[in-house]
Amino acid sequence: MDPMQPFRDEVVRLTSDAVRKLGADVQFEVEVPSPELADFAIPCFPLAKKLRKAPAAIADELAKNIASSDRLTKVWADKGYLNFRVNEQMLIDSTLKAVLAEKENYGRGEKKDKKVLLEHTSVNPTGPIHVGRARNPLIGDTLARILRRCGYDVTTEYYVNDVGKQVVLLTWGINNVPESEVKPADRDKADHRLVGYYQRANEMMESDPEVGRQIADMLVRFEAGDPAVIETVGETAKLMLQGIGSSLESVGVKVDQFTWESKFILNGQAKEVVAKLKASPKCMQEEGASYLDLEELSTQGKSTKFFFTRSDGTTLYTTRDLAYHLDKFKRADMWINVLGEDQKLGMTHLAAALRIMGVDKVPECVFYSFVALPEGRMSTRKGRVVYLDDLIEEAQDRALEEVKKRRFDISEERMFRIAQQIGAGSIRYNIIRVQAEKQFVFQWEEALNFEGNSAPFLQYAHARCCSILRKAPSYDRNANFALLSNEAEKKLIRVLSLFPSTVREAGEKRKIHVIPAYGHELASAFNQFYGVSPVLNSGEVQDARLCLVEATMWALRDVLDTLGIAAPEEM
RNA sequence: GGACGAGUGGCCUAGCAUGGAUAUGGCAGCAGCCUCCUAAGCUGCAGGUCCGGGGUUCGAAUCCCCGCUCGUCCGCCA
């Protein structure tokens, strides 16, 4: 339940009535300005033209015509705005009651009865996942969590690229490169062990044409449906995926299902796409290869030729991607892809091809810019790369140092567990807090920042709540909330009341970074309260304050949960 | 060359779709705060041509045009 909603509804209702009294039925916006100004405000500037009056005059008149209401304690006009103050006591009461009743479900929206298929990660299974790519699973997983909290039925999916040169080359490498020629792995994990074979096979292919011929041969047999080739390639992909999967797991990302690209060759759906596209008047031939002429569809760029077969008739990645999307359309009501910005043009081509096929559905895409290093774009082959596993390890090591600095009363094991939660959380938070399309330069100091706008800031506030609650005697959950009257308390409750609408906004607009921002604001408001309002041994206000602490604890848990970050009870 | 995206105090960042009331926070810096619920915290100070230039408007970080810088793409690759 959204504690703010009844107040907003009241503002809309009363303003509509007042506007109608002025003789015009015009639309208006309800803004939420900064709290010192007002709780809700309606700018009267857009109304000025239609009513042919000065904004200030309109605001004045509206203010006079607003009927009185229990929910709104003050209505006034100021500089062309019609302002409202909500009944703070009612808001305090309803907010605290809502959080204490809903607990881990505070902020959860109504069931939407809509299936969302959210594709994310989908990195080629040829090496360990690195930080340049890690933005994808983190954005995808967080968006999935947000949409679930909004009430959608979300399934996440990893599209596995088990077709094509990369993974075939890796397979060739595993089967043909002697172990002695491979740089020893820095970590005992399938993806780290195998990537050396991939790197060495790449070098060998460049220097020895025979290697290239063998790879090409495997590729042809793969396309022809040779089960032996498909199976062994599938095996290497699976091995890689295990390694990638466990990296993802250690930052709290779990993918619901995997769809293998080879499926669309084996089940003939890629061929069906070819047949459909060939039937289109937009279909052209060039030396035996088929393409769609996208010129008229104003897809920008130099090349408007969208090839979907090679001259030998075999399908291309894009053809199979088309088949994959047709498959997705049958399985859900909404489709979201989290993709690197390099896929943008490809996706507009895909959308155009779908239109040509007479399909009226199109996937929605969330694009993100690549994470680079200060010295440039990450590249596994150039060795200019930071693996996610290394980042996680480093973050957890640093977190452990911090825990050891301040805790002498808990077991080594417990400290280690806390450090894991802080380390993983920090990484997620650091990447998720900036909007996806912003360029991102990875910096160790920043990624490992445990102060200010960071995951531990939120976790720490939560641990403080838990600590107070642990020491508290039993208390009345229907305490007199009117006793919560100082500025810090009121501010904290305000922030608490904003969580449901923030989740809704993050989900509907696909702006996941508003959740970390909200979390920071909540933790910050709590820390301020903590500084000025003693809770334990505070006499008659104690029960009310304990309720506030408990409500904050739930809300912080809810925020952390939707961010995929653990909420340790002590740190 | 074309297309798309980003440019906000020393550094990172919110706000931009629907133009409006003092541009959001954080890091780093400076000055304070632990006999009291964990100082991964709190308070205060300082720091800004919102990339540049035009335009629209009563009003532009936000809209339009022209530049600049950075990123990405423009394969019978995936």
Side-chain angles (χ1 to χ4, degrees), chain A residues 17-28:
Chain A
D17 290 349
V19 168
R20 227 168 291 132
K21 269 192 205 161
L22 285 190
D25 208 0
V26 285
Q27 294 291 312
F28 54 88

Side-chain angles (χ1 to χ4, degrees), chain A residues 110-286:
Chain A
E110 300 279 300
K111 276 243 176 295
K112 298 280 191 296
D113 197 30
K114 271 206 171 145
K115 286 176 107 172
V116 179
L117 185 52
L118 197 160
E119 181 197 336
H120 70 72
T121 310
S122 301
V123 298
N124 278 346
T126 51
I129 190 161
H130 61 66
V131 176
R133 292 232 160 70
R135 212 173 185 180
N136 193 323
L138 264 19
I139 290 170
D141 185 69
T142 307
L143 182 55
R145 286 165 186 271
I146 291 168
L147 290 173
R148 284 187 187 119
R149 198 165 270 271
C150 284
Y152 293 96
D153 177 7
V154 184
T155 303
T156 56
E157 184 160 307
Y158 185 133
Y159 184 48
V160 187
N161 234 290
D162 63 334
V163 180
K165 213 164 169 180
Q166 328 278 33
V167 72
V168 166
L169 178 68
L170 167 65
T171 307
W172 182 91
I174 294 169
N175 295 329
N176 296 282
V177 176
E179 199 184 329
S180 58
E181 286 183 29
V182 175
K183 201 173 69 184
D186 46 5
R187 205 175 275 275
D188 188 31
K189 223 166 140 271
D191 47 348
H192 289 265
R193 270 200 316 272
L194 265 34
V195 70
Y197 290 90
Y198 176 65
Q199 288 162 329
R200 181 70 190 122
N202 253 302
E203 292 167 8
M204 289 167 76
M205 185 177 65
E206 271 164 32
S207 59
D208 183 356
E210 172 53 24
V211 175
R213 273 193 291 277
Q214 289 184 27
I215 307 281
D217 179 54
M218 279 177 80
L219 227 35
V220 170
R221 283 162 59 200
F222 195 114
E223 282 271 346
D226 182 335
V229 180
I230 294 181
E231 195 179 319
T232 111
V233 171
E235 286 308 311
T236 64
K238 258 181 215 146
L239 227 43
M240 260 311 172
L241 238 31
Q242 273 172 21
I244 292 170
S246 84
S247 304
L248 294 179
E249 212 175 296
S250 55
V251 281
V253 177
K254 182 157 182 315
V255 182
D256 296 325
Q257 53 187 254
F258 294 80
T259 291
W260 299 72
E261 191 181 340
S262 56
K263 170 180 163 183
F264 301 105
I265 292 179
L266 294 171
N267 69 9
Q269 285 174 12
K271 289 287 182 214
E272 284 171 32
V273 167
V274 171
K276 275 186 202 152
L277 290 176
K278 276 193 173 164
S280 156
K282 300 276 181 204
C283 177
M284 309 284 168
Q285 301 284 320
E286 190 175 296

Side-chain angles (χ1 to χ4, degrees), chain A residues 387-434:
Chain A
Y387 289 127
L388 181 58
D389 290 322
D390 296 333
L391 176 58
I392 295 167
E393 193 175 85
E394 182 67 25
Q396 294 178 344
D397 285 353
R398 296 243 197 140
L400 186 59
E401 269 175 52
E402 294 300 317
V403 178
K404 281 183 171 164
K405 261 189 228 167
R406 53 203 100 201
R407 299 303 296 267
F408 306 94
D409 55 330
I410 55 176
S411 70
E412 189 91 8
E413 208 181 311
R414 180 86 192 110
M415 286 198 265
F416 188 73
R417 180 76 199 116
I418 293 168
Q420 275 185 328
Q421 296 178 320
I422 292 170
S426 302
I427 292 165
R428 282 189 76 114
Y429 191 97
N430 181 247
I431 290 184
I432 255 38
R433 58 176 250 268
V434 354

Side-chain angles (χ1 to χ4, degrees), chain A residues 378-524:
Chain A
M378 289 196 198
S379 156
T380 309
R381 274 188 314 182
K382 290 179 189 160
R384 197 169 61 203
V385 68
V386 175
Y387 289 127
L388 181 58
D389 290 322
D390 296 333
L391 176 58
I392 295 167
E393 193 175 85
E394 182 67 25
Q396 294 178 344
D397 285 353
R398 296 243 197 140
L400 186 59
E401 269 175 52
E402 294 300 317
V403 178
K404 281 183 171 164
K405 261 189 228 167
R406 53 203 100 201
R407 299 303 296 267
F408 306 94
D409 55 330
I410 55 176
S411 70
E412 189 91 8
E413 208 181 311
R414 180 86 192 110
M415 286 198 265
F416 188 73
R417 180 76 199 116
I418 293 168
Q420 275 185 328
Q421 296 178 320
I422 292 170
S426 302
I427 292 165
R428 282 189 76 114
Y429 191 97
N430 181 247
I431 290 184
I432 255 38
R433 58 176 250 268
V434 354
Q435 49 173 289
E437 59 276 22
K438 209 118 174 172
Q439 288 169 41
F440 198 110
V441 176
F442 176 82
Q443 255 141 177
W444 281 102
E445 318 86 73
E446 222 176 282
L448 301 172
N449 171 34
F450 294 160
E451 285 167 10
N453 196 4
S454 70
F457 184 87
L458 275 64
Q459 293 173 313
Y460 185 61
H462 173 264
R464 276 180 153 178
C465 292
C466 293
S467 173
I468 293 173
L469 263 13
R470 246 190 328 265
K471 291 173 184 159
S474 64
Y475 53 98
D476 179 9
R477 261 150 251 246
N478 288 306
N480 180 11
F481 300 142
L483 295 171
L484 299 171
S485 56
N486 72 42
E487 284 313 306
E489 289 161 348
K490 290 197 276 192
K491 165 88 184 299
L492 176 55
I493 296 165
R494 281 297 167 124
V495 179
L496 241 19
S497 74
L498 260 25
F499 183 55
S501 54
T502 306
V503 172
R504 211 180 316 130
E505 187 197 359
E508 298 309 329
K509 297 181 184 168
R510 322 284 189 246
K511 290 167 77 165
I512 63 173
H513 66 275
V514 305
I515 301 294
Y518 172 81
H520 181 261
E521 201 185 341
L522 177 59
S524 176

